[in-house]
Amino acid sequence: MKQVRLLEFAIASLPIFRSTDILRFLITAAIGRPRLTAAVALFLLAALAGTMTYTGFLVIGVVADYLGTGRIAAGLLLGILFARFPWISQGKLRIVGLLPKPVRRPLIVSILALGLFTFVARGDYVPALFTGVATAFVLAYPWLRRAIVDRMSSSVFTFAGQKRPERTDDTVIEGEFRERKE
């Protein structure tokens, strides 16, 4: 009986799940009840922070087990590996680290996947769930950030009556060439 009600709810709410309807719903909720919306957003951010913190604790334990050291040594090793520091070179503020930027995210995902597979192999499903959620968030974060920024910028430029700036590729060097008549 519960499955039938759940199916009826899912079928009845299908039009709600379009992205424009969800955005309209969120904006209406934020305008109608701003305190409640802020409280829900703050709660979700706190839950995400707690999940990521607990996952870090779990992953440090897995790395410590594989290295045969204590949690403190494994935590320091990972801290040194992923640390980034401000650095001023040629008059510009830069952030430098031991790992280059293209290597950081794949390494973090591989360490999280190692922890996930370790917990599943041990039969520890609650830590595996936390590690899986953190892995999914780390993988989906660039897409989420891009989608949110694109949605916000498109609404701002449309509202202002301006055309959105075209994306530029920083790796392409553009130039004009003209022939001289001699």
Side-chain angles (χ1 to χ4, degrees), residues 21-36:
D21 291 338
I22 291 173
L23 184 63
R24 185 177 299 125
F25 170 74
L26 291 174
I27 291 172
T28 305
I31 292 171
R33 297 184 182 264
R35 289 183 183 167
L36 179 64

Side-chain angles (χ1 to χ4, degrees), residues 59-150:
V59 166
I60 287 174
V62 168
V63 170
D65 285 345
Y66 278 110
L67 294 178
T69 63
R71 285 184 182 270
I72 294 174
L76 286 173
L77 176 69
L78 289 174
I80 291 169
L81 190 64
F82 291 112
R84 295 188 300 181
F85 302 101
W87 189 266
I88 297 176
S89 68
Q90 298 175 354
K92 293 184 180 181
L93 180 65
R94 301 182 189 273
I95 296 179
V96 296
L98 187 62
L99 295 175
K101 189 173 184 177
V103 175
R104 274 186 236 131
R105 182 161 305 185
L107 185 61
I108 290 171
V109 170
S110 63
I111 290 173
L112 286 170
L114 173 72
L116 177 66
F117 292 134
T118 300
F119 291 131
V120 169
R122 290 181 189 167
D124 296 334
Y125 296 113
V126 174
L129 176 71
F130 276 95
T131 310
V133 168
T135 305
F137 180 76
V138 168
L139 287 173
Y141 179 72
W143 176 80
L144 285 170
R145 186 182 67 201
R146 202 173 314 119
I148 290 171
V149 167
D150 286 348

Side-chain angles (χ1 to χ4, degrees), residues 28-45:
T28 305
I31 292 171
R33 297 184 182 264
R35 289 183 183 167
L36 179 64
T37 306
V40 168
L42 188 61
F43 174 76
L44 290 175
L45 285 174

